[in-house]
Coordinates of all heavy atoms in Angstrom, one line a residue:
S666 N 29.4 -19.2 92.5 CA 30.3 -18.3 93.1 C 30.9 -17.3 92.1 O 31.0 -16.1 92.3 CB 31.4 -19.0 93.9 OG 32.2 -19.8 93.0
C667 N 31.3 -17.8 90.9 CA 31.8 -17.0 89.9 C 30.8 -16.0 89.3 O 31.1 -14.8 89.1 CB 32.4 -17.8 88.8 SG 33.9 -18.8 89.3
V668 N 29.6 -16.5 89.2 CA 28.5 -15.6 88.7 C 28.2 -14.5 89.7 O 28.0 -13.4 89.4 CB 27.2 -16.4 88.4 CG1 26.0 -15.5 88.2 CG2 27.4 -17.3 87.2
S669 N 28.2 -14.9 91.0 CA 28.0 -13.9 92.0 C 29.2 -12.9 92.0 O 28.9 -11.7 92.3 CB 28.0 -14.6 93.4 OG 27.8 -13.6 94.4
M670 N 30.4 -13.3 91.7 CA 31.5 -12.4 91.6 C 31.2 -11.3 90.6 O 31.4 -10.1 90.9 CB 32.7 -13.1 91.2 CG 34.0 -12.3 91.0 SD 34.6 -11.6 92.6 CE 36.0 -10.7 92.1
V671 N 30.6 -11.7 89.4 CA 30.3 -10.7 88.4 C 29.1 -9.8 88.8 O 29.2 -8.6 88.7 CB 30.0 -11.4 87.1 CG1 29.5 -10.5 86.0 CG2 31.2 -12.3 86.6
R672 N 28.1 -10.5 89.3 CA 26.8 -9.7 89.6 C 26.9 -8.8 90.8 O 26.4 -7.7 90.9 CB 25.7 -10.7 89.8 CG 25.3 -11.4 88.5 CD 23.8 -11.3 88.3 NE 23.0 -12.0 89.3 CZ 22.4 -13.2 89.1 NH1 22.6 -13.9 88.0 NH2 21.6 -13.6 90.1
N673 N 27.7 -9.3 91.8 CA 27.6 -8.6 93.1 C 28.9 -7.9 93.5 O 28.9 -7.1 94.5 CB 27.3 -9.6 94.2 CG 25.9 -10.1 94.1 OD1 24.9 -9.4 94.0 ND2 25.7 -11.5 94.0
H674 N 30.0 -8.2 92.8 CA 31.3 -7.6 93.3 C 32.1 -6.9 92.2 O 33.1 -6.2 92.5 CB 32.1 -8.7 93.9 CG 31.5 -9.4 95.0 ND1 31.3 -8.9 96.3 CD2 30.9 -10.6 95.1 CE1 30.6 -9.7 97.1 NE2 30.4 -10.8 96.4
Y675 N 31.7 -7.0 90.9 CA 32.5 -6.3 89.9 C 32.2 -4.8 89.9 O 33.0 -4.0 89.3 CB 32.0 -6.8 88.5 CG 32.9 -8.0 88.0 CD1 33.8 -8.6 88.8 CD2 32.8 -8.4 86.7 CE1 34.6 -9.7 88.4 CE2 33.6 -9.4 86.2 CZ 34.5 -10.0 87.0 OH 35.3 -11.0 86.5
E676 N 31.2 -4.3 90.5 CA 30.9 -2.9 90.4 C 32.0 -2.0 91.0 O 32.2 -0.9 90.5 CB 29.6 -2.6 91.1 CG 29.1 -1.2 90.9 CD 27.6 -1.0 91.4 OE1 27.0 -1.9 91.8 OE2 27.1 0.2 91.2
Q677 N 32.7 -2.5 92.0 CA 33.8 -1.7 92.6 C 34.9 -1.3 91.5 O 35.6 -0.4 91.7 CB 34.4 -2.4 93.7 CG 35.0 -3.8 93.4 CD 35.4 -4.6 94.6 OE1 36.2 -4.1 95.5 NE2 34.8 -5.8 94.8
W678 N 35.0 -2.2 90.5 CA 36.0 -1.9 89.4 C 35.4 -1.4 88.1 O 36.1 -0.7 87.4 CB 36.8 -3.2 89.2 CG 37.5 -3.7 90.4 CD1 38.4 -3.1 91.2 CD2 37.2 -5.0 91.0 NE1 38.8 -3.9 92.2 CE2 38.0 -5.1 92.1 CE3 36.4 -6.1 90.6 CZ2 38.0 -6.2 92.9 CZ3 36.4 -7.2 91.5 CH2 37.2 -7.3 92.6
L679 N 34.2 -1.8 87.9 CA 33.6 -1.5 86.5 C 32.5 -0.5 86.5 O 31.9 -0.3 85.4 CB 33.1 -2.9 85.9 CG 34.2 -4.0 85.8 CD1 33.6 -5.2 85.2 CD2 35.4 -3.5 85.0
A680 N 32.1 0.0 87.6 CA 31.0 1.0 87.6 C 31.2 2.1 86.6 O 32.2 2.7 86.6 CB 30.8 1.5 89.0
G681 N 30.2 2.3 85.8 CA 30.2 3.4 84.8 C 30.9 3.0 83.5 O 30.8 3.8 82.5
K682 N 31.5 1.9 83.4 CA 32.1 1.5 82.2 C 31.1 1.0 81.2 O 30.1 0.3 81.6 CB 33.2 0.4 82.4 CG 34.4 0.9 83.2 CD 35.5 -0.2 83.3 CE 36.7 0.3 84.0 NZ 37.4 1.3 83.2
P683 N 31.2 1.3 79.9 CA 30.2 0.9 78.9 C 30.0 -0.6 78.9 O 31.0 -1.4 78.8 CB 30.8 1.4 77.6 CG 31.7 2.5 78.0 CD 32.3 2.1 79.3
G684 N 28.8 -1.0 78.9 CA 28.4 -2.4 78.9 C 28.4 -3.2 80.2 O 27.9 -4.3 80.3
F685 N 28.8 -2.5 81.3 CA 28.9 -3.2 82.5 C 27.5 -3.6 83.1 O 27.3 -4.7 83.5 CB 29.7 -2.5 83.6 CG 29.5 -3.1 85.0 CD1 29.9 -4.4 85.2 CD2 28.9 -2.3 86.0 CE1 29.7 -4.9 86.5 CE2 28.7 -2.9 87.3 CZ 29.1 -4.2 87.5
E686 N 26.6 -2.6 83.1 CA 25.3 -2.9 83.6 C 24.6 -4.1 82.9 O 24.0 -4.9 83.5 CB 24.4 -1.7 83.6 CG 24.8 -0.6 84.6 CD 23.8 0.5 84.7 OE1 22.7 0.4 84.1 OE2 24.1 1.5 85.3
H687 N 24.7 -4.1 81.6 CA 24.2 -5.2 80.8 C 24.8 -6.5 81.2 O 24.1 -7.5 81.4 CB 24.4 -4.9 79.3 CG 24.1 -6.1 78.4 ND1 22.8 -6.5 78.1 CD2 24.9 -7.1 77.9 CE1 22.8 -7.6 77.3 NE2 24.1 -8.0 77.2
L688 N 26.2 -6.5 81.3 CA 26.9 -7.7 81.7 C 26.4 -8.2 83.1 O 26.1 -9.4 83.3 CB 28.4 -7.5 81.7 CG 29.3 -8.6 82.2 CD1 29.3 -9.8 81.2 CD2 30.7 -8.2 82.5
R689 N 26.4 -7.3 84.0 CA 26.0 -7.6 85.4 C 24.6 -8.2 85.4 O 24.3 -9.2 86.1 CB 26.0 -6.4 86.3 CG 25.6 -6.6 87.7 CD 25.3 -5.2 88.4 NE 24.2 -4.5 87.7 CZ 24.0 -3.2 87.8 NH1 24.9 -2.5 88.5 NH2 23.0 -2.6 87.2
D690 N 23.7 -7.6 84.7 CA 22.3 -8.1 84.8 C 22.0 -9.3 83.9 O 20.9 -9.9 84.0 CB 21.3 -6.9 84.3 CG 21.4 -5.7 85.2 OD1 21.9 -5.9 86.4 OD2 21.0 -4.6 84.8
N691 N 22.9 -9.7 83.1 CA 22.6 -10.8 82.2 C 23.7 -12.0 82.3 O 23.9 -12.7 81.3 CB 22.6 -10.3 80.8 CG 21.3 -9.5 80.5 OD1 20.2 -10.0 80.3 ND2 21.5 -8.2 80.6
T692 N 24.3 -12.1 83.4 CA 25.2 -13.2 83.7 C 24.5 -14.1 84.7 O 24.0 -13.7 85.8 CB 26.5 -12.7 84.3 OG1 27.2 -11.8 83.3 CG2 27.5 -13.8 84.6
F693 N 24.4 -15.4 84.4 CA 23.6 -16.3 85.1 C 24.3 -17.6 85.4 O 25.1 -18.1 84.6 CB 22.3 -16.7 84.3 CG 21.5 -15.5 84.0 CD1 21.6 -14.9 82.7 CD2 20.6 -14.9 84.9 CE1 20.8 -13.8 82.4 CE2 19.8 -13.8 84.5 CZ 19.9 -13.3 83.3
E694 N 24.0 -18.2 86.6 CA 24.4 -19.6 86.9 C 23.5 -20.5 86.1 O 22.4 -20.1 85.7 CB 24.2 -19.8 88.4 CG 24.6 -21.2 88.9 CD 23.6 -22.2 88.6 OE1 22.4 -21.9 88.6 OE2 23.9 -23.4 88.4
L695 N 24.0 -21.7 85.7 CA 23.3 -22.6 84.8 C 21.9 -22.8 85.2 O 20.9 -22.7 84.4 CB 24.1 -23.9 84.6 CG 23.4 -25.0 83.8 CD1 23.2 -24.5 82.4 CD2 24.2 -26.3 83.9
C696 N 21.6 -23.3 86.4 CA 20.3 -23.7 86.8 C 19.3 -22.5 86.9 O 18.2 -22.6 86.4 CB 20.3 -24.3 88.2 SG 21.2 -25.9 88.3
E697 N 19.8 -21.3 87.3 CA 18.9 -20.2 87.3 C 18.6 -19.8 85.9 O 17.5 -19.3 85.6 CB 19.4 -19.0 88.2 CG 20.7 -18.4 87.7 CD 21.0 -17.1 88.4 OE1 20.2 -16.6 89.2 OE2 22.1 -16.6 88.2
Y698 N 19.6 -19.9 85.0 CA 19.3 -19.6 83.6 C 18.2 -20.5 83.0 O 17.3 -20.1 82.3 CB 20.6 -19.7 82.8 CG 20.4 -19.3 81.3 CD1 20.4 -17.9 81.0 CD2 20.2 -20.2 80.3 CE1 20.2 -17.4 79.7 CE2 20.1 -19.7 79.0 CZ 20.1 -18.4 78.7 OH 19.9 -17.9 77.4
L699 N 18.4 -21.8 83.3 CA 17.4 -22.8 82.8 C 16.0 -22.5 83.3 O 15.0 -22.6 82.6 CB 17.8 -24.2 83.2 CG 19.1 -24.7 82.6 CD1 19.4 -26.1 83.1 CD2 19.1 -24.7 81.0
V700 N 15.9 -22.1 84.6 CA 14.6 -21.9 85.2 C 14.0 -20.5 84.9 O 12.8 -20.4 84.5 CB 14.6 -22.1 86.7 CG1 13.3 -21.8 87.4 CG2 15.0 -23.6 87.0
D701 N 14.8 -19.5 85.0 CA 14.3 -18.1 85.0 C 14.3 -17.5 83.6 O 13.5 -16.7 83.2 CB 15.1 -17.2 85.9 CG 15.0 -17.6 87.4 OD1 14.0 -18.2 87.7 OD2 15.8 -17.2 88.2
I702 N 15.3 -17.9 82.8 CA 15.5 -17.3 81.4 C 15.0 -18.2 80.3 O 14.2 -17.8 79.5 CB 16.9 -16.8 81.2 CG1 17.4 -16.0 82.4 CG2 17.1 -16.1 79.9 CD1 16.6 -14.7 82.7
A703 N 15.6 -19.4 80.3 CA 15.1 -20.4 79.2 C 13.7 -20.9 79.5 O 13.1 -21.5 78.6 CB 16.2 -21.5 79.1
K704 N 13.3 -20.8 80.7 CA 11.9 -21.2 81.1 C 11.7 -22.7 80.8 O 10.7 -23.1 80.3 CB 10.8 -20.4 80.3 CG 10.9 -18.9 80.5 CD 10.7 -18.5 81.9 CE 10.7 -17.0 82.1 NZ 10.5 -16.5 83.5
V705 N 12.6 -23.5 81.2 CA 12.5 -24.9 81.1 C 11.4 -25.4 82.1 O 11.5 -25.1 83.3 CB 13.8 -25.7 81.4 CG1 13.6 -27.2 81.6 CG2 14.9 -25.4 80.3
T706 N 10.4 -26.1 81.6 CA 9.3 -26.6 82.4 C 9.3 -28.1 82.4 O 8.6 -28.7 83.3 CB 8.0 -26.1 81.9 OG1 7.8 -26.5 80.6 CG2 7.9 -24.6 82.1
K707 N 10.0 -28.8 81.5 CA 10.0 -30.2 81.5 C 11.4 -30.8 81.4 O 12.2 -30.4 80.5 CB 9.2 -30.7 80.3 CG 9.0 -32.2 80.2 CD 8.1 -32.6 79.1 CE 8.0 -34.2 79.0 NZ 7.1 -34.6 77.9
V708 N 11.7 -31.7 82.2 CA 13.0 -32.5 82.2 C 12.7 -33.9 82.0 O 12.1 -34.6 82.9 CB 13.8 -32.2 83.5 CG1 15.1 -33.0 83.4 CG2 14.1 -30.7 83.7
D709 N 13.1 -34.5 80.9 CA 12.7 -35.9 80.6 C 14.0 -36.7 80.6 O 14.8 -36.6 79.7 CB 12.0 -36.0 79.2 CG 11.6 -37.4 78.9 OD1 11.4 -38.2 79.8 OD2 11.3 -37.6 77.7
G710 N 14.2 -37.5 81.6 CA 15.4 -38.3 81.7 C 15.3 -39.3 82.9 O 14.4 -39.2 83.7
D711 N 16.3 -40.1 83.1 CA 16.4 -41.1 84.2 C 17.7 -40.8 85.0 O 18.7 -40.5 84.5 CB 16.5 -42.5 83.6 CG 15.3 -42.8 82.8 OD1 14.2 -43.2 83.3 OD2 15.3 -42.7 81.5

């Protein structure tokens, strides 16, 4: 929910400000970061 706040709702206040597009496009929830960005393919545990 907090990541969605940044990615989907901050534009109403931050549009056009330096660095905002980078922040918006590079803020991730933990699981999506592990799968999509860190490219974790193996989880070894019990």
Side-chain angles (χ1 to χ4, degrees):
S666 63
C667 293
V668 167
S669 180
M670 179 69 181
V671 176
R672 289 233 297 260
N673 296 305
H674 303 286
Y675 267 13
E676 187 165 3
Q677 59 189 304
W678 305 298
L679 302 180
K682 290 186 179 293
F685 168 61
E686 289 189 7
H687 170 79
L688 177 71
R689 180 194 61 200
D690 296 342
N691 289 281
T692 299
F693 303 96
E694 183 279 331
L695 174 64
C696 293
E697 67 169 350
Y698 186 78
L699 296 176
V700 173
D701 295 339
I702 307 302
K704 303 296 184 184
V705 169
T706 58
K707 184 177 181 181
V708 180
D709 184 18
D711 300 277

